[in-house]
Amino acid sequence: MTAISYQQVSKAFVNHQQGSVVQALSNISLDIAENEFVCLLGPSGCGKSTLLNLLAGFLKPDTGTIDFFGQPISGPSPDRGVVFQEATLFPWFTAAKNIDLGLEAKKLPTAERQRIVEEILALVGLPGKGHHYPHELSGGMRQRVALARVLALGPRALLMDEPFSALDNNTRERLQDELLRIWSMDKKTVLFVTHNVEEAVYLADRIVVIGPSPESIRTEIKLDGTRPRSRTDESIRRTSEQLRQLLMDLPCCLAPALHQKGQNDEH
């Protein structure tokens, strides 16, 4: 079953300071199957995060359509849980309270919310850490809480925008393993943005290489579905080298401007 469908999607932004238009995405058509783990790979500024933000409902396409399980996207929804590069936790709330906020908004009974929070903390490897405040947690732990906050709402898809890029390499690899462990237990559809070749090859079922417009999707590579993978496997190394060469051959990307085409500065 198709979970996500982009059809002829384009998106431009206006740089009001320079009086220019930056075409972030051009005529993107991409289907993602239910439970598939897809990585968007490409240099910074090539529209990967824009593609994810359109799916999240934070932006609207200039042209084209985006469907989620057959329904057009009209705005943000807890069915499409977003995990950002920064954990963006409320510092004055404990880890448990940060996770509970979305459940409270759904008006679930207190006992059920407490059960879900405890189960989700255990799922992300943080049992007994719910009473800690964000400043008492490491960067990796804060990112686990951010993931837990999204998972607690039971989304059908996870949209992850370079969630591990700010972490040291050892922590990053541990969280990659944790993410795959969680995904193997409850296979949600995942769209994962990264510019790290090794990360994409280790995580994904399929890698979509994004380049600058007008040819936004440059290639797609489907990986062997066998898991767990070894980071030192020869096939992993060969695929990484192939992707690295593809990225080196891409023309430079222009960083997207801050303003959507047609927006006013005050918005």
Side-chain angles (χ1 to χ4, degrees):
M1 180 180 182
T2 299
I4 297 162
S5 182
Y6 295 87
Q7 296 297 322
Q8 298 296 309
V9 171
S10 297
K11 184 65 183 176
F13 296 88
V14 175
N15 185 324
H16 289 286
Q17 291 182 336
Q18 299 179 5
S20 60
V21 174
V22 176
Q23 191 69 37
L25 297 168
S26 297
N27 297 318
I28 289 280
S29 290
L30 175 66
D31 287 342
I32 298 173
E34 185 176 12
N35 304 332
E36 188 178 14
F37 197 128
V38 172
C39 279
L40 300 178
L41 176 68
S44 297
C46 284
K48 304 184 303 297
S49 293
T50 299
L51 198 59
L52 183 141
N53 286 330
L54 288 166
L55 178 59
F58 300 147
L59 298 172
K60 293 183 178 180
D62 296 331
T63 62
T65 61
I66 308 171
D67 288 348
F68 184 69
F69 287 96
Q71 298 298 315
I73 290 174
S74 58
S77 166
D79 269 350
R80 287 167 272 120
V82 184
V83 182
F84 299 100
Q85 182 175 346
E86 298 294 334
T88 61
L89 302 176
F90 292 106
W92 52 87
F93 289 143
T94 62
K97 184 60 178 178
N98 269 281
I99 298 168
D100 182 54
L101 287 173
L103 301 173
E104 187 176 8
K106 294 175 70 173
K107 303 188 184 302
L108 296 179
T110 301
E112 184 178 356
R113 285 163 33 207
Q114 291 176 342
R115 176 187 60 79
I116 292 172
V117 169
E118 290 175 4
E119 288 180 355
I120 291 295
L121 280 170
L123 180 65
V124 299
L126 293 175
K129 299 290 186 181
H131 63 284
H132 288 284
Y133 287 86
H135 74 271
E136 299 174 316
L137 302 172
S138 68
M141 288 180 176
R142 288 194 296 272
Q143 201 63 319
R144 289 178 192 231
V145 175
L147 176 59
R149 180 176 57 187
V150 170
L151 291 174
L153 298 177
R156 299 185 75 179
L158 285 176
L159 316 183
M160 309 188 76
D161 193 0
E162 300 193 50
F164 308 145
S165 62
L167 305 174
D168 66 85
N169 193 57
N170 288 335
T171 303
R172 181 178 190 143
E173 290 186 357
R174 284 200 298 272
L175 288 187
Q176 290 168 0
D177 289 336
E178 283 295 303
L179 175 60
L180 289 176
R181 178 183 63 81
I182 293 167
W183 178 72
S184 69
M185 296 170 64
D186 182 13
K187 283 198 173 181
K188 300 180 184 298
T189 306
V190 179
L191 186 64
F192 189 106
V193 168
T194 183
H195 59 259
N196 185 288
V197 168
E198 286 76 15
E199 182 168 66
V201 173
Y202 187 67
L203 292 176
D205 292 323
R206 179 163 50 116
I207 298 171
V208 179
V209 178
I210 305 293
S213 293
E215 189 183 351
S216 293
I217 294 183
R218 297 308 175 103
T219 192
E220 298 182 27
I221 294 178
K222 189 167 180 61
L223 289 97
D224 182 353
T226 304
R227 298 176 188 275
R229 293 174 181 152
S230 169
R231 300 178 193 275
T232 58
D233 185 83
E234 179 62 22
S235 65
I236 295 289
R237 188 194 66 79
R238 286 197 305 269
T239 303
S240 297
E241 287 303 314
Q242 177 187 356
L243 286 165
R244 197 171 285 110
Q245 187 60 54
L246 282 169
L247 294 178
M248 288 180 63
D249 291 341
L250 289 177
C252 292
C253 295
L254 295 175
L258 296 178
H259 300 289
Q260 181 180 347
K261 186 177 179 181
Q263 278 186 315
N264 295 323
D265 285 342
E266 62 266 28
H267 293 159

